[in-house]
């Protein structure tokens, strides 16, 4: 396994903690949490970029900025909103439709063949999410907007990921991610001041924000960019389907959900569908 692929694996490991840290930060408005996390992650990233003499990497065309900021802001604003409105375990599983949607979108956007095995994997993953929120599932009716926000997460991140490999965007250096993070923080902060009431974090929430900014909402983006551009995307794509399993187990271990048969079955279906889709030739 090359160093670049290992870097991508590091991003997957960090993302396994995203749901748990988001839940621990509960009570902070979604846009405020987005601004705080990205401000920390972007600042640390910028310090590293400047120390390595990579300031020129921040000078990117408007398309690169629109793609980077749109993907990072759109995904995380919806993600934190979903966790604020709906049960954590169910939101987490719906969010992890993004690897399956990447498989579907690769055909129209990147011209890659789907084939019956990939379509079967996508179908299995969707069936898993339908199981967790379909007839017979137990959740408060007011959670539906949160589930829709989680679905929006999956759509935004899959579009962002697939289009990142197109010729014009693949040339954007990893160092530019620091600028995208800081711009995302600024946009989230402006919208927060306009539409939300600022909350003062307690010690638990500050620790959660610190963990988010240094890990899943910070270093993970740089590691993933390296992995996608210089590592083995096929291996990383396969390993990505272990993340919803690990993430769900972490939530349950922390008391943020319970392991019902629906949760267990849906987790296996989402991960299994993604594995089938990633392994298909």
């Amino acid at each position: 396994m090359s160093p670049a692929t290992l870097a991508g694996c590091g991003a997957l490991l960090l993302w396994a903690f995203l749901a748990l840290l988001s839940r621990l930060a509960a009570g902070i408005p979604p846009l405020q949490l987005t601004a705080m996390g990205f401000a920390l992650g972007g600042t640390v990233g910028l310090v590293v970029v400047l120390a390595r003499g990579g300031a020129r990497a921040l000078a990117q065309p408007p398309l690169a900025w629109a793609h980077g900021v749109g993907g990072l802001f759109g995904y995380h604003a919806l993600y934190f909103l979903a966790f604020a409105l709906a049960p954590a375990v169910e939101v987490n599983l719906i969010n992890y439709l993004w690897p399956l949607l990447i498989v579907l979108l690769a055909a129209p956007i990147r011209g890659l063949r789907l084939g019956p095995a990939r379509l079967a994997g996508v179908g299995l993953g969707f069936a898993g999410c339908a199981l967790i929120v379909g007839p017979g599932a137990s959740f408060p009716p007011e959670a539906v907007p949160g589930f829709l926000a989680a679905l929006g997460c999956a759509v935004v991140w899959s579009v962002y990921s697939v289009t990142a490999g197109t010729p014009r965007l693949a040339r954007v250096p990893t160092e530019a991610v620091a600028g995208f993070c800081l711009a995302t923080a600024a946009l989230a902060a402006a919208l927060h001041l306009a539409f939300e009431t600022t909350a003062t974090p307690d010690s638990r929430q500050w620790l959660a924000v610190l963990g988010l900014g240094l890990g899943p909402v910070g270093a993970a983006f740089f590691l993933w960019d390296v992995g996608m551009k210089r590592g083995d995307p096929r291996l990383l794509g396969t390993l990505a389907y272990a993340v919803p399993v690990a993430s769900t187990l972490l939530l349950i271990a922390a008391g943020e959900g319970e392991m019902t048969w629906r949760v267990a079955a849906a987790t296996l279906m989402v991960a299994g569908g993604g594995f089938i889709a990633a392994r298909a030739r």
Side-chain angles (χ1 to χ4, degrees), residues 163-211:
T163 54
T166 55
R168 293 180 66 183
L169 293 172
R171 296 193 295 266
V172 177
T174 297
E175 290 82 358
V177 173
F180 301 155
C181 287
L182 290 173
T184 295
L187 176 60
L191 292 175
H192 160 67
L193 294 174
F195 299 109
E196 294 178 338
T197 300
T198 302
T200 302
D202 57 25
S203 56
R204 182 203 66 185
Q205 292 168 326
W206 273 118
L207 286 174
V209 170
L210 180 64

Side-chain angles (χ1 to χ4, degrees), residues 6 10 40 51 55 62 76 91 117 120 122 137 144 161 166 173 186 188 215 223 234 256 268 270:
L6 281 173
L40 177 57
H76 288 87
V91 162
V122 170
V144 172
S161 297
T166 55
L223 294 172
R234 297 166 301 177
E256 296 293 341
L268 292 175
V270 170

Side-chain angles (χ1 to χ4, degrees), residues 227-250:
M228 284 289 98
K229 291 178 179 176
R230 298 197 289 274
D232 185 346
R234 297 166 301 177
L235 178 57
L236 289 172
T238 302
L239 294 175
Y241 299 102
V243 177
V245 177
S247 185
T248 299
L249 292 177
L250 283 170

Side-chain angles (χ1 to χ4, degrees), residues 9 11-18 92 96 98-99 238-250 271:
C9 291
L12 296 176
L13 178 62
L14 291 174
W15 281 332
F17 290 88
L18 177 59
N92 192 50
Y96 277 107
W98 64 258
T238 302
L239 294 175
Y241 299 102
V243 177
V245 177
S247 185
T248 299
L249 292 177
L250 283 170

Side-chain angles (χ1 to χ4, degrees), residues 23 82 84-88 90-91 132-133 137-147:
R23 199 61 181 171
L85 297 176
E90 287 81 354
V91 162
I132 206 70
V133 299
S138 177
F139 57 84
E142 58 269 23
V144 172
F147 293 150

